[in-house]
Amino acid sequence: MGKSLAVITEKESDLLTILQARVPSLTVMKPGELSAAGLAHCAAIAILGGAGEQPVVFKPAERVLIERHVRRGTKIFAEFCTSIGHMFTTAPESTRYERLAFATAEIAVAGLSPGELIDDQSGWRMKPYKPTCAHTAPLLQYVKANVHDRVELTEEMKEQVTARALWFEEPDNVLVCSFRLCNFIRARFSPRPRVQAIVQFILSWLLDERVELDNLPQAYTVGQYDPQEPLVPQIRRTVDKAMNWFVKAGILLNNGRDGVGEGVATEIYPNGEQRMFHWIRSDCIGETAMAYFMDYMLSGEQSSLNISNALADVVFNAMQYKDSGDLHGMMRWTDEQWDVCYQDDVARAIVPELLKALYLGRDEHLQECYDALDFLIRTTGTDGTRYFCTYNSLLSPEKIAKLAGEPGNMPSAHFNAFYHAVLLLAYKISGKEQYRDVAVRGLTTIMQAYPNTFRVLSQTQEYSRLLYPLSWLYWVTGEDEHREWLYRVAHDMQQYKHPSGAYLEWDEGYTAMMRRKIGEDENSLLGCNGDCVADLLYTNNWLPFGWIQAYFVTGDAYFMEQWQDTAKFIINAQLHSDYVKIDGGWARAFDPDKMEVFGSPADNSWGPWAIESGWTVAEIASGLMTGLLAERLAPYFSDRAANR
């Protein structure tokens, strides 16, 4: 490329690297170092303000030089620059709950049509003041809508000048970008083809010739499943990578003696760094203990069992209420929400110790498991369901009696099914009939409401959470009706199955509780039924363990086939990256058509890039390893399988 280019920037960036590889005649200078001589022979200028934490503001003498080129007709790309020409902006603000929409049919950008969305993650952008900004149609503008892939741009949206993100100023030799774009690779802008099309348009316009952006480096890759290779070794590599994530990402604390961190938050900043969660949660600790226990069962590594046992000690010695009285046995949710108890989270915290009792005859924390379940039963309604959580400060003797003396009216797999499953397992180990009776009553209540259970995030999620509780229900009772429930849910799941093996979000009638205003609370990834989005925090993460438990109990190869299909998807969705916080994990939102992490950012806590230590990585790894151990573990559940 023969055109001379001046790049004004504080530091290196993805965009600068691309330009340096393609423009031989390129001069780089920092704000504060501009001179008339340095800019005299440039045919174009790229102001890459997004490389720094603050936007570029030129000193008056330098501003004169830039404005001279504006009047001369020099092409100028001004990214994250507070003022150029007549335009000036507000102070920067986060784009955490916004996304970029391609906004015009007047300017052709290859492969893009109006309304298609691009996610700049937790970026920074400035709002131009309306009176000072050219009113030409923008190429990109910010929108705030709980949709998956595209938005219908209304006339009202198009008139929001302060929402514009990429547009031509007057005269039209100035292309303004109000957001931090230049590190679009490391900040994981998505979907990649759309982002690449925008960057290619900018550079082709700036340099007056077509710029090809083939073979760009990527911050992460997916799609490792190879249909030509046997599945088992691929699963084993996937599991090993997931287990390494706990150490490399700094999730495992003091070799398990201090528990685990919750995981990696969704916020990816413009420099590519990602925020970490800081809660210590009993469910995540227990689920990670489960993963290390299964790793011990699979590999025989004593160190894995030691870590699992250390994590269990945190759950039962630090997170459980030990004083006598009505609260005895209560399991605390987090180190911060100390007096809160969610029964489904308690179930996942204690199930590894119950399985150690089943598989190994280990009983070190068995009584504490029973204590936790006895507390939950004391606060469970007459219909076998428990209100979604309790607060110790509100649990007076009168309140406890009220909870136990009337229906819980919570026919929700999200809040109750795992609790019922663990009651059934505890019954198998202890023989305590109360555990069986409460579980049967509760799962019956849920299935009487099915498919219109109390949904939290989606219908698909409710179905996925029923698989292993119903498997264990049939294991315990042997009743044909309970077997039919399991098969009904399993077959109903198939209507949401994607060719990749993923199960897409769906919510008939849109009744899920977590369909709220953007950024105000937890939120579903689902914009509308038919969206191509798989949730690996609330749906697909439960399936490896669910399918394999159904196989153990029924002996039906159908369930093993489902487990294998899910495993193939899981292999493909695993993240491979030089960035250790994500390498080996699974992010919440995955679009199997795009083969990218991509989804609505509406959830205020666990957005599309959240990687949960327990709910996601540990649950998936445990389910995969359980399947690899099928021949060894299935006999423990053979009561019903013998009747297949």
Side-chain angles (χ1 to χ4, degrees), residues 556-576:
D556 191 338
Y558 168 79
F559 291 112
M560 177 57 80
E561 291 166 3
Q562 299 306 312
W563 178 83
Q564 291 170 343
D565 286 350
T566 292
K568 293 170 186 176
F569 164 67
I570 291 296
I571 292 168
N572 268 334
Q574 188 176 42
L575 305 172
H576 298 255

Side-chain angles (χ1 to χ4, degrees), residues 526-588:
L526 186 66
C528 64
N529 291 329
D531 288 343
C532 189
V533 61
D535 195 323
L536 285 97
L537 176 62
Y538 290 107
T539 301
N540 288 269
N541 48 309
W542 313 123
L543 294 178
F545 194 74
W547 292 130
I548 205 63
Q549 296 306 314
Y551 171 72
F552 287 172
V553 171
T554 65
D556 191 338
Y558 168 79
F559 291 112
M560 177 57 80
E561 291 166 3
Q562 299 306 312
W563 178 83
Q564 291 170 343
D565 286 350
T566 292
K568 293 170 186 176
F569 164 67
I570 291 296
I571 292 168
N572 268 334
Q574 188 176 42
L575 305 172
H576 298 255
S577 177
D578 292 334
Y579 186 57
V580 296
K581 287 184 180 180
I582 68 172
D583 184 44
W586 290 271
R588 178 185 174 184

Side-chain angles (χ1 to χ4, degrees), residues 25-286:
S25 181
L26 183 146
T27 303
V28 179
M29 57 192 78
K30 292 183 178 182
E33 299 177 353
L34 274 60
S35 67
L39 294 173
H41 301 294
C42 66
I45 299 172
I47 304 168
L48 304 184
E53 294 301 312
Q54 297 299 322
V56 169
V57 183
F58 290 110
K59 293 177 181 179
E62 292 186 325
R63 179 67 182 267
V64 169
L65 298 177
I66 296 296
E67 293 301 328
R68 188 176 298 160
H69 278 275
V70 172
R71 293 192 301 273
R72 188 183 298 169
T74 304
K75 284 190 172 182
I76 300 175
F77 173 60
E79 178 230 10
F80 209 53
C81 177
T82 57
S83 181
I84 191 167
H86 300 296
M87 184 277 307
F88 61 94
T89 70
T90 63
E93 58 187 65
S94 173
T95 65
R96 164 67 173 84
Y97 299 110
E98 298 179 303
R99 285 189 286 178
L100 295 155
F102 187 66
T104 181
E106 299 175 13
I107 302 173
V109 176
L112 291 181
S113 58
E116 290 188 327
L117 295 174
I118 293 172
D119 202 330
D120 68 340
Q121 313 304 343
S122 290
W124 285 91
R125 64 120 165 173
M126 304 173 297
K127 296 178 178 179
Y129 283 102
K130 185 174 182 178
T132 69
C133 185
H135 287 201
T136 54
L139 281 81
L140 296 176
Q141 73 176 68
Y142 277 97
V143 295
K144 196 173 184 180
N146 192 1
V147 295
H148 176 60
D149 183 61
R150 64 169 59 237
V151 66
E152 292 298 323
L153 290 167
T154 65
E155 289 303 316
E156 182 181 1
M157 287 179 178
K158 294 176 183 177
E159 292 172 1
Q160 292 177 358
V161 172
T162 57
R164 58 179 50 202
L166 183 68
W167 72 98
F168 285 101
E169 268 296 311
E170 297 172 351
D172 62 5
N173 60 305
V174 178
L175 180 58
V176 176
C177 178
S178 66
F179 63 98
R180 293 178 69 176
L181 168 69
C182 64
N183 280 320
F184 68 94
I185 296 174
R186 69 191 74 176
R188 287 172 258 162
F189 284 26
S190 60
R192 290 167 180 163
R194 294 178 188 174
V195 179
Q196 186 167 311
I198 289 293
V199 174
Q200 186 168 299
F201 170 84
I202 292 169
L203 298 186
S204 298
W205 170 82
L206 183 66
L207 300 173
D208 278 329
E209 57 183 282
R210 181 171 177 80
V211 176
E212 299 293 344
L213 295 179
D214 298 328
N215 301 315
L216 289 180
Q218 300 298 340
Y220 74 97
T221 60
V222 294
Q224 294 291 310
Y225 172 67
D226 181 357
Q228 303 304 315
E229 182 186 358
L231 181 59
V232 168
Q234 296 188 69
I235 295 174
R236 189 62 189 265
R237 289 196 300 271
T238 299
V239 165
D240 288 345
K241 195 170 185 68
M243 296 307 295
N244 287 334
W245 173 83
F246 288 101
V247 176
K248 290 167 58 180
I251 301 298
L252 186 68
L253 305 176
N254 192 19
N255 225 27
R257 289 183 287 273
D258 293 327
V260 296
E262 183 182 353
V264 188
T266 197
E267 290 83 1
I268 304 169
Y269 301 119
N271 62 1
E273 281 298 312
Q274 195 163 347
R275 184 172 73 86
M276 298 293 288
F277 288 122
H278 294 294
W279 277 356
I280 307 293
R281 295 174 49 150
S282 58
D283 52 348
C284 292
I285 299 170

Side-chain angles (χ1 to χ4, degrees), residues 26 103 106 357 382 413 438 442 470 481 508 549 583 597:
L26 183 146
E106 299 175 13
T382 55
V438 173
L470 292 178
E481 182 182 32
E508 196 70 36
Q549 296 306 314
D583 184 44
V597 178

